[in-house]
Amino acid sequence: MGPTKAVVKQQALYDAVSGKLIQGGFSSYRALAEYVKQHYIVLPVHDNAGKPWQLDGKPIYCLHGVQYETVDDRRVHLTRCPDCGGMGVRTEEFTVESDCIRCAGCGRECDARLEMMET
Ligand SMILES: [Zn+2]
C-alpha cells in the first residue's frame, strides 16, 4: 500500500479516491502541510506558480520523489519542467528514440535522456 492520495478543499484534507474527509479545520496551509508530513499522505503536484498538474482533469501525485502516479495508481511517464515546474508530457508523435518531453505549462520541449544526464 502506498501513501494516501489527498486533495485540499477549503483548508480540509479529503481522500482523493473516496472523497471522504481525512482531517479538516486547519488554521493555515502550514498546519495542513505539517499534518501531511506526519501522516502517510501525499498532495497533488503543483508547478512553481501553485497550479496543480492535471492529466485528463485528474491530479497527479509524486511518490518517492521520482515516480508519478494518477489517483487510481496508474504510473505515468512525466517530468518536472526545469523552467516553470510544470508537467512535462512525453510527446507521442515522436519516435521512441527521441524521447521528447513537452511541458504542459510553458511549452518548453526537451530531451528526457538529456535532462537525466544533467541531474
Ligand atoms: Zn515549463
Side-chain angles (χ1 to χ4, degrees), residues 36-52:
V36 166
K37 234 191 290 174
Q38 284 162 11
H39 296 76
Y40 202 38
I41 296 171
V42 280
L43 293 178
V45 182
H46 290 74
D47 66 15
N48 294 349
K51 205 165 126 260

mmCIF file of all heavy atoms in Angstrom, residues 36-52:
data_model
loop_
_atom_site.group_PDB
_atom_site.id
_atom_site.type_symbol
_atom_site.label_atom_id
_atom_site.label_comp_id
_atom_site.label_asym_id
_atom_site.label_seq_id
_atom_site.Cartn_x
_atom_site.Cartn_y
_atom_site.Cartn_z
ATOM 1 N N VAL A 36 0.226 16.608 6.916
ATOM 2 C CA VAL A 36 0.547 15.728 5.792
ATOM 3 C C VAL A 36 1.904 15.060 6.012
ATOM 4 O O VAL A 36 2.092 13.877 5.740
ATOM 5 C CB VAL A 36 0.534 16.531 4.468
ATOM 6 C CG1 VAL A 36 1.194 15.757 3.343
ATOM 7 C CG2 VAL A 36 -0.892 16.900 4.099
ATOM 8 N N LYS A 37 2.839 15.843 6.531
ATOM 9 C CA LYS A 37 4.187 15.334 6.763
ATOM 10 C C LYS A 37 4.196 14.239 7.830
ATOM 11 O O LYS A 37 4.947 13.283 7.749
ATOM 12 C CB LYS A 37 5.101 16.495 7.212
ATOM 13 C CG LYS A 37 6.346 16.605 6.350
ATOM 14 C CD LYS A 37 7.369 17.555 6.951
ATOM 15 C CE LYS A 37 6.919 19.002 6.902
ATOM 16 N NZ LYS A 37 7.845 19.895 7.614
ATOM 17 N N GLN A 38 3.339 14.422 8.854
ATOM 18 C CA GLN A 38 3.328 13.480 9.976
ATOM 19 C C GLN A 38 2.547 12.201 9.666
ATOM 20 O O GLN A 38 2.669 11.216 10.372
ATOM 21 C CB GLN A 38 2.735 14.169 11.214
ATOM 22 C CG GLN A 38 3.709 15.137 11.853
ATOM 23 C CD GLN A 38 3.006 16.113 12.784
ATOM 24 O OE1 GLN A 38 1.832 15.944 13.108
ATOM 25 N NE2 GLN A 38 3.722 17.134 13.205
ATOM 26 N N HIS A 39 1.716 12.256 8.650
ATOM 27 C CA HIS A 39 0.937 11.086 8.276
ATOM 28 C C HIS A 39 1.398 10.600 6.909
ATOM 29 O O HIS A 39 2.190 11.259 6.243
ATOM 30 C CB HIS A 39 -0.552 11.423 8.275
ATOM 31 C CG HIS A 39 -1.054 11.774 9.638
ATOM 32 N ND1 HIS A 39 -0.797 12.990 10.235
ATOM 33 C CD2 HIS A 39 -1.763 11.065 10.531
ATOM 34 C CE1 HIS A 39 -1.347 13.008 11.441
ATOM 35 N NE2 HIS A 39 -1.941 11.844 11.653
ATOM 36 N N TYR A 40 0.865 9.465 6.515
ATOM 37 C CA TYR A 40 1.290 8.866 5.258
ATOM 38 C C TYR A 40 0.370 9.377 4.146
ATOM 39 O O TYR A 40 -0.462 8.654 3.625
ATOM 40 C CB TYR A 40 1.239 7.342 5.404
ATOM 41 C CG TYR A 40 2.109 6.591 4.431
ATOM 42 C CD1 TYR A 40 3.369 7.070 4.078
ATOM 43 C CD2 TYR A 40 1.678 5.393 3.878
ATOM 44 C CE1 TYR A 40 4.167 6.384 3.194
ATOM 45 C CE2 TYR A 40 2.470 4.690 2.996
ATOM 46 C CZ TYR A 40 3.714 5.189 2.662
ATOM 47 O OH TYR A 40 4.507 4.500 1.778
ATOM 48 N N ILE A 41 0.556 10.665 3.828
ATOM 49 C CA ILE A 41 -0.347 11.335 2.890
ATOM 50 C C ILE A 41 0.482 12.085 1.842
ATOM 51 O O ILE A 41 1.517 12.656 2.159
ATOM 52 C CB ILE A 41 -1.257 12.338 3.639
ATOM 53 C CG1 ILE A 41 -2.179 11.585 4.614
ATOM 54 C CG2 ILE A 41 -2.074 13.194 2.672
ATOM 55 C CD1 ILE A 41 -2.958 12.486 5.536
ATOM 56 N N VAL A 42 0.031 12.060 0.605
ATOM 57 C CA VAL A 42 0.660 12.890 -0.425
ATOM 58 C C VAL A 42 -0.361 13.857 -1.000
ATOM 59 O O VAL A 42 -1.547 13.546 -1.097
ATOM 60 C CB VAL A 42 1.276 12.066 -1.590
ATOM 61 C CG1 VAL A 42 2.622 11.504 -1.218
ATOM 62 C CG2 VAL A 42 0.327 10.981 -2.072
ATOM 63 N N LEU A 43 0.127 15.021 -1.393
ATOM 64 C CA LEU A 43 -0.718 16.034 -2.011
ATOM 65 C C LEU A 43 -0.408 16.100 -3.502
ATOM 66 O O LEU A 43 0.673 15.707 -3.930
ATOM 67 C CB LEU A 43 -0.440 17.408 -1.369
ATOM 68 C CG LEU A 43 -0.852 17.550 0.096
ATOM 69 C CD1 LEU A 43 -0.471 18.933 0.610
ATOM 70 C CD2 LEU A 43 -2.333 17.310 0.271
ATOM 71 N N PRO A 44 -1.363 16.593 -4.293
ATOM 72 C CA PRO A 44 -1.107 16.691 -5.735
ATOM 73 C C PRO A 44 0.118 17.563 -6.052
ATOM 74 O O PRO A 44 0.442 18.477 -5.299
ATOM 75 C CB PRO A 44 -2.388 17.363 -6.269
ATOM 76 C CG PRO A 44 -3.422 17.126 -5.236
ATOM 77 C CD PRO A 44 -2.704 17.059 -3.930
ATOM 78 N N VAL A 45 0.754 17.253 -7.175
ATOM 79 C CA VAL A 45 1.924 18.017 -7.601
ATOM 80 C C VAL A 45 1.479 19.370 -8.151
ATOM 81 O O VAL A 45 0.496 19.465 -8.888
ATOM 82 C CB VAL A 45 2.695 17.244 -8.694
ATOM 83 C CG1 VAL A 45 3.941 18.010 -9.123
ATOM 84 C CG2 VAL A 45 3.077 15.856 -8.204
ATOM 85 N N HIS A 46 2.208 20.430 -7.775
ATOM 86 C CA HIS A 46 1.936 21.772 -8.283
ATOM 87 C C HIS A 46 3.148 22.276 -9.056
ATOM 88 O O HIS A 46 4.278 21.874 -8.783
ATOM 89 C CB HIS A 46 1.661 22.735 -7.129
ATOM 90 C CG HIS A 46 0.364 22.478 -6.437
ATOM 91 N ND1 HIS A 46 0.184 21.409 -5.592
ATOM 92 C CD2 HIS A 46 -0.810 23.134 -6.467
ATOM 93 C CE1 HIS A 46 -1.073 21.439 -5.136
ATOM 94 N NE2 HIS A 46 -1.686 22.478 -5.655
ATOM 95 N N ASP A 47 2.901 23.194 -9.985
ATOM 96 C CA ASP A 47 4.034 23.844 -10.637
ATOM 97 C C ASP A 47 4.517 25.001 -9.756
ATOM 98 O O ASP A 47 3.978 25.244 -8.671
ATOM 99 C CB ASP A 47 3.679 24.287 -12.062
ATOM 100 C CG ASP A 47 2.621 25.382 -12.102
ATOM 101 O OD1 ASP A 47 2.362 26.007 -11.060
ATOM 102 O OD2 ASP A 47 2.055 25.599 -13.181
ATOM 103 N N ASN A 48 5.526 25.714 -10.242
ATOM 104 C CA ASN A 48 6.118 26.775 -9.433
ATOM 105 C C ASN A 48 5.135 27.901 -9.105
ATOM 106 O O ASN A 48 5.305 28.620 -8.140
ATOM 107 C CB ASN A 48 7.340 27.353 -10.147
ATOM 108 C CG ASN A 48 8.454 26.323 -10.245
ATOM 109 O OD1 ASN A 48 8.395 25.259 -9.620
ATOM 110 N ND2 ASN A 48 9.473 26.614 -11.040
ATOM 111 N N ALA A 49 4.105 28.042 -9.924
ATOM 112 C CA ALA A 49 3.110 29.094 -9.711
ATOM 113 C C ALA A 49 1.967 28.621 -8.818
ATOM 114 O O ALA A 49 1.051 29.382 -8.529
ATOM 115 C CB ALA A 49 2.563 29.573 -11.050
ATOM 116 N N GLY A 50 2.024 27.365 -8.369
ATOM 117 C CA GLY A 50 0.994 26.835 -7.490
ATOM 118 C C GLY A 50 -0.189 26.237 -8.225
ATOM 119 O O GLY A 50 -1.203 25.917 -7.617
ATOM 120 N N LYS A 51 -0.066 26.090 -9.528
ATOM 121 C CA LYS A 51 -1.139 25.492 -10.311
ATOM 122 C C LYS A 51 -0.961 23.972 -10.332
ATOM 123 O O LYS A 51 0.111 23.479 -10.646
ATOM 124 C CB LYS A 51 -1.082 26.052 -11.737
ATOM 125 C CG LYS A 51 -2.398 26.016 -12.475
ATOM 126 C CD LYS A 51 -2.319 26.921 -13.715
ATOM 127 C CE LYS A 51 -2.704 26.184 -14.952
ATOM 128 N NZ LYS A 51 -1.659 25.695 -15.798
ATOM 129 N N PRO A 52 -1.999 23.209 -9.959
ATOM 130 C CA PRO A 52 -1.827 21.756 -9.899
ATOM 131 C C PRO A 52 -1.676 21.115 -11.279
ATOM 132 O O PRO A 52 -2.295 21.562 -12.240
ATOM 133 C CB PRO A 52 -3.105 21.275 -9.222
ATOM 134 C CG PRO A 52 -4.100 22.367 -9.408
ATOM 135 C CD PRO A 52 -3.338 23.644 -9.533
#
